[in-house]
Amino acid sequence: MFFKSAISLQELNQYEQGRSLSEDAFNRLKKNKFALFGLIYLSVMIVLAVFAPLLAPYAYDAQDLSLGATPPSLAHWMGTDIFGRDQLTRILHGSRVSLMVGFVATAVALLIGVLWGTIAGYSGGKTDAIMMRIVDVLYALPFTIFIILLTVVFGRSIFLLFLAIGAVEWLTMARIVRGQVMALRQQEFIEAAVSMGLSRWQIMSRHLIPNILGPIIVYTTLTIPSVILLESFLSFLGLGIQPPASSWGSLISYGVETIEEYPWLLIFPSLFLSVTLFALNFLGDGLRDAFDPRSSKD
Amino acid sequence: MSLLTVSNLTTRFYTREGITTAVDKVSFTVKQGEILGIVGESGSGKSVCCYSLMGLIPSPPGKIESGSALFQGQDLLKLSERELRKIRGNSVAMIFQDPMTSLTPHMTIGEQLIEAYRVHNKSTSQQAKLRAIKVLQEVGITNIEQRMNAYPHEFSGGMRQRVMIAMALITEPKLLIADEPTTALDVTVQAQILQLIKNLQISHNLGVIFITHDLAVISQLADDIVVMKNGEVVEAATANALFRSPQHPYTQSLIAAIPDSAKPKNRHAIEVNAGDEIKANAAATPLVEVKGLSKSYSLTQNTWFFSKKREFKAVDNVSFDIFKGEILGLVGESGSGKSTLGRSVIRLLDADANVLRIDNTDLQSLGADDLRRARKNLQMIFQDPFASLNPRFTVFDTLAEPLLVHGIANKNNLLQKINELLDDVGLERKHIRKYPHEFSGGQRQRIAIARALAPQPKLIIADEPVSALDVTIQAQILELLLELTQKHGLTMLFISHDLSVVRYLCDRVMVMNKGQIVEQGETEALFSSPKNSYTQQLLSAIPTLKVSA
Amino acid sequence: MLKYFFIRLLSAIPVLFLVILITFILVRLAPGGPFDQERAAPPAVLANLNKQYHLDDPVVVQFKDYLVNLLRGDFGPSFKYPTRTVTEIILTGLPPTLELGLYALLFAMFVGISTGVMAGLKPNSAQDYIPMTIAMIGICLPSFVLGPLLILGFGIGLEWFPVSGWGDSPGDKVLPAITLGAAYAAYIARLTRGGMLDVMSQDYIRTARAKGLSPARIVGLHALRGALAPVVAFAGPAAAGLLSGSFVVETIYQIPGLGRFYLQAAFNRDYTMILGTTIFFATLIILFNFISDVIQAWINPKLRQSLSK
């Protein structure tokens, strides 16, 4: 309720409460087991990543050269690498990097994309044409290759990764948001808001943005895995995170080198990466179905 | 001779939300060479029942539970999908409501017609083509050789429906099922298509099931009529008997709900005492003055670099006044510019006008802030009650917003004001915290009306406010609008494509065609003796309830 | 249509120019010259080298020269392999990369479209859930995970296919193509399913059924074209993705393709090579986008007509 501050709640409480769209959406989400699994898994994963230094059984760079690479055991649940470093510890620390890149770069994309798309969509006309033409042109650029080029030119830093990945992903966000805004602008309730004498800002904040929140949340959830994937891709190629720091991608890249001798070095980081991508995609799909029940078509 | 005999047909839908019985023990008979009308409001099961016969309901979730449908000695409901396919489009053909979406967009008309023929008849493509040309001629398509190679989007709505009919007739069917075939069409086009269907039905000795919500339309066509409600047949009779003496209360209410143009409008009758005085005052003081208003759109075609501009005049040099306290009707077919004009009057769209004055304020001279304040007096009611309410606002929010923005209410009396509005539009107070999706179409339109009333406006523009509603609801909303304009002394511009609604409600009427007002005048005068040829054409096309003696 | 074709082609030129300009500037900005080595070369030698490669000209002149040479198909010499030109290296690396990409694309299209159609015809049944869950797994298994797993399973374990090489034995193209194409197959399957669901609920499909057409004809003639629209729109970005994906796959399977050369150039700071290959890749991707746009216009008569006006 937007205007409940205008009167005391007690007065309203005598009336039966309605079900808002978000409540409906949440109820549908709760019924989707896959999405619920995704949500729970992600929460656990985030807690693990944030508290990795406290939770990890070993120090991050503790080597035990005499131990070398050992398969999973009670002391080292996921085995050790050739330097005798605990694999579980390295994966937990790696998840900090992977998830952080995922969230921060997505936030960058979200910020630019939503602003760009809303302004273009709401302004319409020439402003819109120019802004979207810029997006079109950027879209045609081969970004993965540019990112590789950037890492070559400016060296490999995590900051650059954020920026570069965010710069790629905002384009789609801008397109989606613009599309939503354009579609909403044609809706009669926006026209009704205009004819009511609301200001531009009141229309945007009360009528427009709350109604595009759903698609934005959905697309954000689906952007995070593609960002994580991109970071892993670059780290796998040796262009992302540099040792001794590790991310899932760089751990996988180590694992591939010794795939025949020490397969557990490949399998465990791959598992973390894939299950996380799984969880995010399921959650994203679930959110989409929840916010837009028609999209599931059943 | 009976062509199709349906008995005890029951169809249910098994969805997550539960089981719904869409068709409940329905029985009817279609005779050869006769038209059976199935009448009902949305959700009455009238379409589902015919789709069930043809195996066209989505299954799952749909399931035909029981019944039989004897057609030429076969029970359609017992046939396998493969056997049914031999009948569909062959001896039973169908046409649908929206010809815009009912033809495959990426195939030419010719391809689709030829396909329809060759599926059921062994023939060369040349023979099929000749056959296609013949039926296209029959439905009145000209320039056929060229039109055969055209895609559906290159035809107008009426032409597309003709193509659909041609496609249905190409296999010489015995039975034609027509599902609201004219609902999406303009009234003049509707009249032509109805005439076409009637002619073809006679010349081909067709049995026809004509599904519609429109009693007036069906009264002109049908021999027998079945009235459906909530999946059940409530009344079945010959057309004459049904319209002369409807037995079931629901049928009676349907007939009563038709804004019957034959009945004298009751509005003047109500205000007989005050009427003359109001009229005298009104004549002196127009609330709205419009002179020389035009609105053009430039259609830009964007290629990558270049853009071509074409001017399209949606409203072309229009002048009129709206007097205080009157309801002025604005009538026109789709694309006539009536909605554009309505929005231009209150500057929801910016148009060019020599004079645009409302309540002695020159609307064109107002800056953005002043215009926003002026909007308090200028409100609008929209066509689609599903799209005109913010889905994230409760009724309380929807009504509180205009009250607070224009300072009509404050903290202390907000709830009271909102409750008064709800009383005004006949919504129960207990619904105040509910969201739009929890209401029916008619209830939503009531909320939208309450919102328009909230800032205590002087002028209301109502753009097709009842055309998305079922007839019985439509009648209630019209009644409500009439009552409220009188109670609050409102002035209203009522935009509609539906002439009978306008005749029922409005004091004066303007007829719009191709961006221009071709005729305006007192409602009764205009309806009884139209001067303009377009108005005459429009009026003669109105389907009226036909009850033969 | 022809005009649209032409205009669309013209519009690619500024994009291409932008790519060349950005790449050129980026490479110039890079710290450290191409001839920096662990042991610093004597200044005289450096000056000589710089002169030989025209690096002492003003940047604008260098850019102009580079553009002119590009138009002749000359990407200049490689700094690291002075005996070979960049053009030669690109031409050596291109065939395996294109071949790999083509096989992967065919695999992705075939598997993706057929499973997508199947799933879309019977939504919310086993026929839908099973392939779509597999598709989801496909999307979540990146090529650098799937590749090694395939090697482990089918190469080392079952010994069905060789684990590396290109063109040496008949089976050695199977695993790379699947590795590269799997994620795209999965994505295309999802797109096709969505497209099918969309189209099958359209009114004109109901008309087609009412005409008594067979299911095969309805899907093939009336539904598929509309259902594949999102797939065609995806083909351009997919081609771009396949190209950059080939970096990984070529590394894993040790395929002597352009992707590997590119990565080597990136690690070696072979600037002319990076510049050349980036521009080459960009041109390819722009070309694929162009083709995908043209096909999109072709399958949609409404769009075709509005464009040809």
Side-chain angles (χ1 to χ4, degrees), chain A residues 5-8 11, chain B residues 404 409-415:
Chain A
S5 60
I7 59 164
S8 75
E11 277 182 275
Chain B
L404 293 172
N410 56 35
K411 252 182 185 209
N412 301 322
N413 63 1
L414 181 61
L415 195 59

Side-chain angles (χ1 to χ4, degrees), chain B residues 154-414:
Chain B
E154 299 171 67
F155 290 76
S156 69
M159 282 298 156
R160 258 185 296 229
Q161 196 59 290
R162 283 172 196 266
V163 171
M164 279 295 288
I165 295 172
M167 198 157 80
L169 290 181
I170 200 166
T171 51
E172 291 284 355
K174 296 274 179 298
L175 176 66
L176 177 71
I177 299 177
D179 184 9
E180 302 260 13
T182 58
T183 307
L185 303 174
D186 275 328
V187 56
T188 48
V189 182
Q190 162 168 295
Q192 293 161 11
I193 297 290
L194 288 176
Q195 192 57 50
L196 177 68
I197 291 176
K198 183 81 192 165
N199 292 346
L200 291 169
Q201 182 260 332
I202 293 168
S203 62
H204 291 255
N205 195 25
L206 279 171
V208 175
I209 300 179
F210 196 101
I211 303 168
T212 185
H213 69 283
D214 192 332
L215 279 171
V217 163
I218 201 63
S219 72
Q220 302 186 328
L221 278 183
D223 301 293
D224 294 314
I225 289 176
V226 168
V227 181
M228 283 185 74
K229 189 194 181 196
N230 298 333
E232 289 176 61
V233 173
V234 295
E235 186 164 358
T238 64
N240 283 337
L242 188 101
F243 287 115
R244 223 175 313 133
S245 55
Q247 299 300 310
H248 194 275
Y250 179 69
T251 316
Q252 289 163 358
S253 75
L254 275 183
I255 293 174
I258 301 177
D260 193 347
S261 34
K263 269 187 284 181
K265 193 166 67 74
N266 53 9
R267 187 165 186 236
H268 293 300
I270 295 171
E271 52 182 60
V272 144
N273 327 335
D276 293 318
E277 196 187 332
I278 288 177
K279 269 200 172 164
N281 283 340
T285 50
L287 180 73
V288 181
E289 280 178 84
V290 178
K291 285 204 171 62
L293 187 145
S294 295
K295 171 75 186 170
S296 340
Y297 288 105
S298 54
L299 299 176
T300 4
Q301 279 180 333
N302 273 321
T303 53
W304 259 68
F305 286 129
F306 319 105
S307 52
K308 279 188 231 161
K309 281 199 176 160
R310 268 192 309 155
E311 285 272 293
F312 167 69
K313 278 211 161 169
V315 179
D316 190 3
N317 194 17
V318 160
S319 304
F320 62 92
D321 294 331
I322 310 177
F323 297 101
K324 273 188 187 147
E326 79 169 343
I327 301 181
L328 175 64
L330 177 56
V331 174
E333 295 184 290
S334 58
S336 60
K338 58 188 192 301
S339 286
T340 307
L341 176 58
R343 283 165 168 76
S344 300
V345 168
I346 55 170
R347 271 192 71 189
L348 275 179
L349 290 172
D350 275 315
D352 303 318
N354 298 332
V355 178
L356 175 54
R357 217 182 342 252
I358 299 181
D359 204 16
N360 294 319
T361 312
D362 179 6
L363 221 55
Q364 292 192 98
S365 69
L366 295 182
D369 288 340
D370 287 331
L371 181 62
R372 275 213 309 279
R373 271 189 288 279
R375 293 209 179 283
K376 171 191 171 300
N377 288 327
L378 318 169
Q379 289 296 304
M380 187 145 179
I381 302 169
F382 298 88
Q383 171 174 6
D384 186 354
F386 286 80
S388 67
L389 297 171
N390 184 341
R392 296 188 185 274
F393 268 25
T394 58
V395 173
F396 174 79
D397 289 326
T398 303
L399 299 181
E401 188 172 45
L403 288 172
L404 293 172
V405 164
H406 293 293
I408 309 279
N410 56 35
K411 252 182 185 209
N412 301 322
N413 63 1
L414 181 61

Side-chain angles (χ1 to χ4, degrees), chain A residues 1-9 11-24 28 31 126 129 133 136-137 184 187-200 202-203 206-215 291 296 298, chain B residues 16 302-305 309 343 346-349 371-373 375-376 378-380 382-394 396-398 400-402 404-406 410-412 414-416 419 429-435 437-438 451 455 463:
Chain A
M1 303 258 277
F2 279 73
F3 300 99
K4 62 183 164 201
S5 60
I7 59 164
S8 75
L9 265 177
E11 277 182 275
L12 270 182
N13 279 344
Q14 56 180 311
Y15 301 107
E16 190 191 341
Q17 193 165 4
R19 286 171 302 114
S20 74
L21 286 181
S22 349
E23 270 171 73
D24 271 3
R28 278 192 289 269
K31 281 188 198 149
K126 278 228 161 67
R133 198 52 47 85
D136 285 347
V137 169
L184 269 185
Q187 297 267 319
E188 286 174 344
F189 73 83
I190 297 292
E191 217 178 347
V194 176
S195 74
M196 202 181 289
L198 299 189
S199 69
R200 222 165 218 258
Q202 286 169 325
I203 293 172
R206 287 183 201 158
H207 295 273
L208 209 60
I209 292 179
N211 279 298
I212 56 170
L213 228 46
F291 277 116
S296 61
D298 53 7
Chain B
R16 265 187 223 167
N302 273 321
T303 53
W304 259 68
F305 286 129
K309 281 199 176 160
R343 283 165 168 76
I346 55 170
R347 271 192 71 189
L348 275 179
L349 290 172
L371 181 62
R372 275 213 309 279
R373 271 189 288 279
R375 293 209 179 283
K376 171 191 171 300
L378 318 169
Q379 289 296 304
M380 187 145 179
F382 298 88
Q383 171 174 6
D384 186 354
F386 286 80
S388 67
L389 297 171
N390 184 341
R392 296 188 185 274
F393 268 25
T394 58
F396 174 79
D397 289 326
T398 303
E401 188 172 45
L404 293 172
V405 164
H406 293 293
N410 56 35
K411 252 182 185 209
N412 301 322
L414 181 61
L415 195 59
Q416 185 206 334
N419 278 332
R429 291 181 175 193
K430 66 175 185 191
H431 291 317
I432 194 165
R433 295 179 74 187
K434 295 226 165 107
Y435 291 86
H437 66 252
E438 300 176 272
R451 176 181 57 189
D463 187 6

Side-chain angles (χ1 to χ4, degrees), chain B residues 31-46:
Chain B
K31 298 191 197 87
Q32 180 147 23
E34 285 194 14
I35 298 181
L36 171 76
I38 301 185
V39 179
E41 297 182 292
S42 55
S44 62
K46 58 190 191 298

